Amino acid sequence: MRKVLVIEDSISQGQRLLRDFEEQNYDVMLATTGFEAHRAIKDAPPELIILDYLLPDTDGIALCKRLKQDALYRSIPVIMFSSQNKLNYMVQAYEAGADYYVVKDEEGGKTLRLLADSLFTRRARQHISALSA
């Protein structure tokens, strides 16, 4: 099963993402703080992280940097999910190591699911290709 960690401080937004991804047969963990996220990642590393830009105890940029500097976790794709629709926020996210940046708007949840499906499909193809080589 495809395992996703959603790190979102808004309980309602987190629950919405949890439901949306579970409906698509994802195994979803939800964290509302950077501390909870770190514990969840250490206990059961996900295959994809959806990370809010702003968290109560840290920011998504700092957390993303820490993850991408750690050899155990740097290969986990990170999608920064933020209401901040400004270029400088996006640049900061990419400089921190985020793989994608999705804006929270009326299509944001759908975009996240499509992007997640694409990432998992690409990873499966790479795995099959490696096995047949």
Side-chain angles (χ1 to χ4, degrees), residues 15-76:
Q15 290 296 324
R16 188 174 315 115
L17 291 172
L18 182 111
R19 275 191 316 275
D20 288 350
F21 276 94
E22 284 181 340
E23 287 174 4
Q24 300 299 317
N25 296 316
Y26 283 83
D27 179 16
V28 184
M29 300 177 294
L30 181 59
T32 58
T33 66
F35 177 78
E36 287 177 11
H38 245 299
R39 190 173 58 221
I41 292 166
K42 284 184 179 183
D43 290 347
E47 297 172 83
L48 172 64
I49 296 171
I50 298 171
L51 176 58
D52 191 6
Y53 194 92
L54 299 172
L55 298 169
D57 60 344
T58 188
D59 63 62
I61 297 298
L63 181 55
C64 186
K65 279 182 186 177
R66 283 196 307 270
L67 291 170
K68 293 300 183 171
Q69 290 171 353
D70 191 318
L72 291 173
Y73 310 119
R74 75 172 49 121
S75 65
I76 301 171

Side-chain angles (χ1 to χ4, degrees), residues 92-104:
Q92 288 176 14
Y94 288 123
E95 287 176 345
D99 298 277
Y100 299 95
Y101 190 100
V102 175
V103 176
K104 291 179 185 177

Side-chain angles (χ1 to χ4, degrees), residues 21 26 48-50 77-81 94 99-103 108-122:
F21 276 94
Y26 283 83
L48 172 64
I49 296 171
I50 298 171
V78 174
I79 302 173
M80 189 72 65
F81 191 46
Y94 288 123
D99 298 277
Y100 299 95
Y101 190 100
V102 175
V103 176
K110 182 178 179 181
T111 302
L112 276 178
R113 288 188 309 280
L114 290 170
L115 189 52
D117 286 344
S118 175
L119 285 167
F120 281 108
T121 299
R122 185 179 325 139

